[in-house]
């Protein structure tokens, strides 16, 4: 795919949704961090239902740590893998309090040192909470990048690096959100909705579908 095509793809995505947002509900960098940790192998809708009950009760590292693993588990037991997630969140809260003054760090290294935080989660927090140029590649973005030809790669890291290289710089800050929403609602896994796709004429996917 050439640069002109990529530019037009992101120009259209920007035109349709000038200020894309994550679908996770949060009011602070800490709430976002917890929501993203909980969202692994879970839906944003499911996470939002749980945090809607949790955050009014506890939305700081100190308050969530005080709940303990059992107390936190009661709020998040509707989410997959909640036992291991509860342990990770409680330990993350302890580290935030003891090492970071209760604040979410703004560096990848410090974020990835937190339990339950991998490269993808760190990228989401850096990009969404702190507006840093970072590209979190989830299953939707990996699929869209490969299927369209925007940034094909065999591994998540390869796709991430290509997106950072190929996405026009003026669109890079919000590209994560556009791609994830496109994958979630249009370029879906089982059957992409090519007939309803804003970028169908630019996409290089060879097996396009109709919306019938």
């Amino acid at each position: 795919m050439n640069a002109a095509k990529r530019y037009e793809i992101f120009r259209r995505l920007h035109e349709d949704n000038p200020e894309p947002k994550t679908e996770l509900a949060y009011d602070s960098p800490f709430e976002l961090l917890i929501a993203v940790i909980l969202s692994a192998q879970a839906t944003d809708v499911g996470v939002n239902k749980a945090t809607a009950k949790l955050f009014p009760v506890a939305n700081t590292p100190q308050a969530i740590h005080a709940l303990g693993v059992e107390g936190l588990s009661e709020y998040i037991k509707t989410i997959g893998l909640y036992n291991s997630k509860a342990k990770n969140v409680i330990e993350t809260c302890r580290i935030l309090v003891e090492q970071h003054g209760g604040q979410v760090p703004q560096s990848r290294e410090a974020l990835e040192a937190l339990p339950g935080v991998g490269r993808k989660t760190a990228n989401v927090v850096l990009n969404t909470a702190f507006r840093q140029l970072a590209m979190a590649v989830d299953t939707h973005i990996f699929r869209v990048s490969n299927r369209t030809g925007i940034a094909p790669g065999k591994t998540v890291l390869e796709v991430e690096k290509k997106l950072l290289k190929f996405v026009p710089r003026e669109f890079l800050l919000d590209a994560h959100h556009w791609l994830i929403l496109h994958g979630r609602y249009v370029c879906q896994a089982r059957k992409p909705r090519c007939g309803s796709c804003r970028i169908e004429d630019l996409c290089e996917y060879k097996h396009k579908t109709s919306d019938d």
Side-chain angles (χ1 to χ4, degrees), residues 18-89:
E19 295 183 4
K21 300 284 190 292
T22 178
E23 293 187 316
L24 288 170
Y26 73 99
D27 287 319
S28 68
F30 174 71
E31 287 187 1
L32 177 66
L33 173 63
I34 299 306
V36 179
I37 292 174
L38 296 178
S39 73
Q41 298 178 41
T43 66
D44 288 1
V45 172
V47 171
N48 289 343
K49 285 181 180 176
T51 57
K53 296 177 181 176
L54 170 64
F55 288 157
V57 174
N59 69 342
T60 65
Q62 296 87 342
I64 288 183
H65 188 263
L67 291 174
V69 172
E70 286 187 15
L72 176 58
S73 294
E74 283 301 306
Y75 289 97
I76 66 170
K77 61 187 178 184
T78 54
I79 300 174
L81 308 175
Y82 75 91
N83 274 320
S84 59
K85 288 176 181 178
K87 291 173 185 173
N88 284 337
V89 167

Side-chain angles (χ1 to χ4, degrees), residues 23-173:
E23 293 187 316
L24 288 170
Y26 73 99
D27 287 319
S28 68
F30 174 71
E31 287 187 1
L32 177 66
L33 173 63
I34 299 306
V36 179
I37 292 174
L38 296 178
S39 73
Q41 298 178 41
T43 66
D44 288 1
V45 172
V47 171
N48 289 343
K49 285 181 180 176
T51 57
K53 296 177 181 176
L54 170 64
F55 288 157
V57 174
N59 69 342
T60 65
Q62 296 87 342
I64 288 183
H65 188 263
L67 291 174
V69 172
E70 286 187 15
L72 176 58
S73 294
E74 283 301 306
Y75 289 97
I76 66 170
K77 61 187 178 184
T78 54
I79 300 174
L81 308 175
Y82 75 91
N83 274 320
S84 59
K85 288 176 181 178
K87 291 173 185 173
N88 284 337
V89 167
I90 293 300
E91 182 64 8
T92 282
C93 289
R94 182 189 68 77
I95 293 171
L96 290 178
V97 171
E98 293 182 1
Q99 298 181 19
H100 301 286
Q103 300 298 308
V104 177
Q106 297 189 35
S107 76
R108 178 191 306 286
E109 294 73 24
L111 284 167
E112 289 189 27
L114 299 170
V117 178
R119 185 178 182 88
K120 184 183 77 175
T121 297
N123 281 338
V124 172
V125 174
L126 291 172
N127 178 254
T128 304
F130 301 125
R131 302 304 280 158
Q132 294 184 25
L133 290 178
M135 184 62 65
V137 178
D138 71 345
T139 54
H140 296 299
I141 294 177
F142 186 80
R143 178 176 68 254
V144 171
S145 298
N146 275 288
R147 189 185 270 166
T148 61
I150 291 172
K154 292 180 179 177
T155 66
V156 167
L157 186 58
E158 186 182 356
V159 169
E160 177 189 328
K161 288 180 176 177
K162 283 191 175 181
L163 285 169
L164 288 170
K165 180 180 178 182
F166 291 145
V167 174
R169 192 164 182 83
E170 69 186 88
F171 300 121
L172 194 53
L173 203 54

